[in-house]
Amino acid sequence: MKYLLYELHLAQNMDGTNDEELDKLDNQWMEKAKKYKEVFSTLSDRLPQDIFNRFNSWGFHDYRLVKMEIEHKSLLHSNIHFTVSSDDVWILSFNNVSFFQFQHLNYDNDKPIYNREIDDWLYEEILPINESKLSFEFILSSGGNVLLHFPDKSVSMQKLK
């Protein structure tokens, strides 16, 4: 994540942070969120309109990641599907993914702030890589972090219920 940093989110939610430090962290968060929104707003023609609209607001914040599926057809044609659930269930799909990475930022932390087993969606970033490719990255409250690269307009979402 370039703007909505997991470390900053954790610092804002730690017990014992004094009011002055919390104000500083909040201001830092707001400044980074503002910069991200400026970059994201340039992507309106590179994403399907429903995707742009969804992630221009709350995205899937506070949804539970239910399933992550990699549909591997070849090294050039892998599709990745994320099933997320709250009061409704959605599948977010990326086609022709050229890069995929998963890491757990809290895996070795003996005293995490959040339960390392709960995969609630916190924040995501969609950023340009070049003139035809985008990156999508999200963090989960558990510390899980997913990053992938995909061609413009190669993302869709479907509401299941």
Side-chain angles (χ1 to χ4, degrees), residues 6 102-108 115-119 141-145:
Y6 186 65
F102 170 80
Q103 61 180 334
H104 201 295
L105 303 173
N106 250 342
Y107 190 82
D108 294 319
N115 185 326
R116 291 178 292 189
E117 304 294 317
I118 297 176
D119 286 331
S141 62
S142 66
N145 175 263

Side-chain angles (χ1 to χ4, degrees), residues 23-37:
D23 285 343
K24 187 193 292 187
L25 291 167
D26 288 345
N27 288 336
Q28 211 177 348
W29 181 266
M30 294 304 289
E31 184 61 33
K32 288 183 176 292
K34 180 182 172 189
K35 287 180 182 177
Y36 170 65
K37 282 291 187 186

Side-chain angles (χ1 to χ4, degrees), residues 12-95:
Q12 288 175 299
N13 290 285
M14 291 184 80
D15 290 335
T17 305
N18 66 45
D19 289 342
E20 184 179 328
E21 183 64 25
L22 195 54
D23 285 343
K24 187 193 292 187
L25 291 167
D26 288 345
N27 288 336
Q28 211 177 348
W29 181 266
M30 294 304 289
E31 184 61 33
K32 288 183 176 292
K34 180 182 172 189
K35 287 180 182 177
Y36 170 65
K37 282 291 187 186
E38 289 171 5
V39 172
F40 182 78
S41 69
T42 68
L43 303 178
S44 63
D45 62 335
R46 298 180 64 182
L47 293 165
Q49 196 61 50
D50 61 337
I51 298 291
F52 180 81
N53 292 341
R54 178 74 187 221
F55 290 104
N56 198 31
S57 62
W58 280 97
F60 289 110
H61 182 71
D62 285 340
Y63 276 65
R64 175 73 44 101
L65 178 63
V66 176
K67 181 168 64 170
M68 180 168 53
E69 178 183 17
I70 299 173
E71 179 187 352
H72 178 74
K73 296 180 178 184
S74 75
L75 289 176
L76 294 176
H77 299 287
S78 292
N79 303 325
I80 299 181
H81 311 282
F82 302 101
T83 304
V84 294
S85 174
S86 183
D87 293 334
D88 47 12
V89 178
W90 291 84
I91 296 178
L92 181 63
S93 298
F94 295 85
N95 297 318

Side-chain angles (χ1 to χ4, degrees), residues 98-155:
S98 60
F99 177 82
F100 174 82
Q101 175 182 305
F102 170 80
Q103 61 180 334
H104 201 295
L105 303 173
N106 250 342
Y107 190 82
D108 294 319
N109 187 351
D110 291 334
K111 296 181 182 179
I113 291 175
Y114 298 113
N115 185 326
R116 291 178 292 189
E117 304 294 317
I118 297 176
D119 286 331
D120 289 337
W121 193 288
L122 285 178
Y123 304 104
E124 70 282 320
E125 292 179 356
I126 303 175
L127 298 171
I129 296 173
N130 59 34
E131 63 281 342
S132 63
K133 194 173 288 190
L134 301 169
S135 73
F136 180 78
E137 185 171 11
F138 65 90
I139 55 174
L140 303 164
S141 62
S142 66
N145 175 263
V146 174
L147 170 65
L148 54 92
H149 298 172
F150 65 99
D152 287 4
K153 303 229 181 212
S154 295
V155 56

